[in-house]
Amino acid sequence: MSEHREFKDIRGSGAEHAPGLPVDEYMASLEALQAEVATEKNLVWERVADGTLSMDLLKRLCKEYYFLGKWYTSEFGSIVSNAPDVDALDLGGSEHYVHWAQNLADEMGFAGDRNHVDMKVEWARQLGITDDELLSYRAMPESIGAVFTTLFYMRRSYEEGLAAFGWAGERFAASTNYAVKMYEGMRDHYGIDVENFKVHAYAEEDHGRMADYLLRQVSVTAGQQRRVRRAVEHVLICRNARTAALNRWLDEPGALRK
């Protein structure tokens, strides 16, 4: 005869829905976290901007961007499906869902620009990189870590995906002005007009601004704030390590051209 088992009454035992910090104070703490862990400045972008990066390293950089674009774009739908207002009466009644649906349409090439993977393939072909080279390229460990850490949080919950891809990703990237540096540098010094960076020069600023706006709406409870902070911290640490790894390229023989 089995013994009678009593299960613990779990009602009210968790702190998941306890009030968090005031949102403005919490978002300021994320800014402070970013300043603490995202300390590296990407010097490779600077060398593209002034035209001194060698062609070999420019080609390697292109392969790195293809790796990022291929995986981010193919996994993007998870943020859309996790949007908290996906069941709004109509699309006009949603903010989160419409933003990410538009963002996905843009990434996939259905909003006017070409899809973001094909633009990177076109850039590679402009540089004389073959399709086989792109497919067989082994990305840096830091790139693999940055990409799949972001994808982990995109699948885990909406607020973590928004924090990882939108706030610590698109918003942070837009703040560096990298797309303008890359676009103008390759146009002026390498003789190629790269659509990928022309598009990102205007798109990421808008996406980053919206990510900050939307994150404020889903960083209210103690549980949400804890998860968001962890996602931001992990993604920015990985992105910072990737930037440091890229900068080490410049120590290689022949890294720069006159």
Side-chain angles (χ1 to χ4, degrees):
M1 182 176 179
S2 61
E3 296 180 0
H4 175 69
R5 298 179 182 180
E6 292 187 7
F7 291 92
K8 178 183 177 182
D9 184 352
I10 52 80
R11 291 172 296 182
S13 61
E16 176 67 21
H17 300 293
L21 294 172
V23 173
D24 286 346
E25 181 181 343
Y26 175 70
M27 297 302 292
S29 77
L30 291 186
E31 295 279 5
L33 174 62
Q34 175 180 295
E36 178 187 348
V37 300
T39 55
E40 293 284 339
K41 180 181 179 181
N42 192 314
L43 301 179
V44 174
W45 294 336
E46 303 297 327
R47 300 292 75 80
V48 175
D50 64 20
T52 59
L53 190 71
S54 71
M55 283 300 298
D56 284 345
L57 288 187
L58 184 60
K59 290 179 180 180
R60 193 193 303 177
L61 186 63
C62 176
K63 295 173 188 177
E64 285 284 324
Y65 272 101
Y66 172 76
F67 174 81
L68 269 62
K70 178 180 182 294
W71 286 105
Y72 283 146
T73 301
S74 63
E75 294 278 343
F76 202 93
S78 57
I79 293 187
V80 183
S81 63
N82 284 334
D85 51 7
V86 67
D87 59 349
L89 173 64
D90 55 26
L91 289 182
S94 68
E95 288 184 328
H96 299 269
Y97 182 74
V98 162
H99 171 74
W100 291 111
Q102 288 182 136
N103 205 334
L104 175 61
D106 185 36
E107 293 274 340
M108 295 296 293
F110 300 127
D113 298 317
R114 295 176 63 198
N115 80 68
H116 289 202
V117 178
D118 285 0
M119 285 193 289
K120 292 174 178 64
V121 173
E122 180 186 51
W123 177 27
R125 291 172 178 168
Q126 287 175 296
L127 292 173
I129 299 170
T130 67
D131 294 353
D132 286 343
E133 285 181 85
L134 279 185
L135 290 173
S136 62
Y137 177 69
R138 181 178 295 159
M140 296 189 303
E142 294 83 0
S143 295
I144 295 170
V147 167
F148 288 100
T149 298
T150 301
L151 296 185
F152 168 78
Y153 285 115
M154 285 167 64
R155 286 172 173 265
R156 198 173 136 82
S157 73
Y158 175 73
E159 60 265 27
E160 288 166 292
L162 168 56
F165 185 85
W167 202 90
E170 290 186 312
R171 176 188 166 280
F172 181 72
S175 72
T176 67
N177 203 35
Y178 84 98
V180 172
K181 294 176 184 178
M182 292 287 290
Y183 175 70
E184 293 181 351
M186 284 187 284
R187 180 197 62 193
D188 297 343
H189 302 295
Y190 299 87
I192 55 175
D193 192 288
V194 182
E195 184 183 7
N196 178 74
F197 294 104
K198 181 189 295 186
V199 168
H200 282 83
Y202 71 82
E204 277 189 338
E205 181 178 357
D206 176 69
H207 292 170
R209 183 171 59 252
M210 289 299 100
D212 186 80
Y213 167 75
L214 294 174
L215 190 61
R216 291 172 179 270
Q217 299 179 24
V218 293
S219 299
V220 178
T221 70
Q224 289 172 330
Q225 291 182 357
R226 181 181 64 254
R227 289 194 300 274
V228 165
R229 183 179 180 86
R230 180 174 55 213
V232 167
E233 182 173 31
H234 288 175
V235 168
L236 287 179
I237 286 173
C238 289
R239 291 175 69 96
N240 195 65
R242 180 175 183 270
T243 300
L246 287 171
N247 288 343
R248 290 195 291 272
W249 289 6
L250 301 179
D251 296 329
E252 298 177 11
L256 302 179
R257 64 179 189 174
K258 294 183 180 179

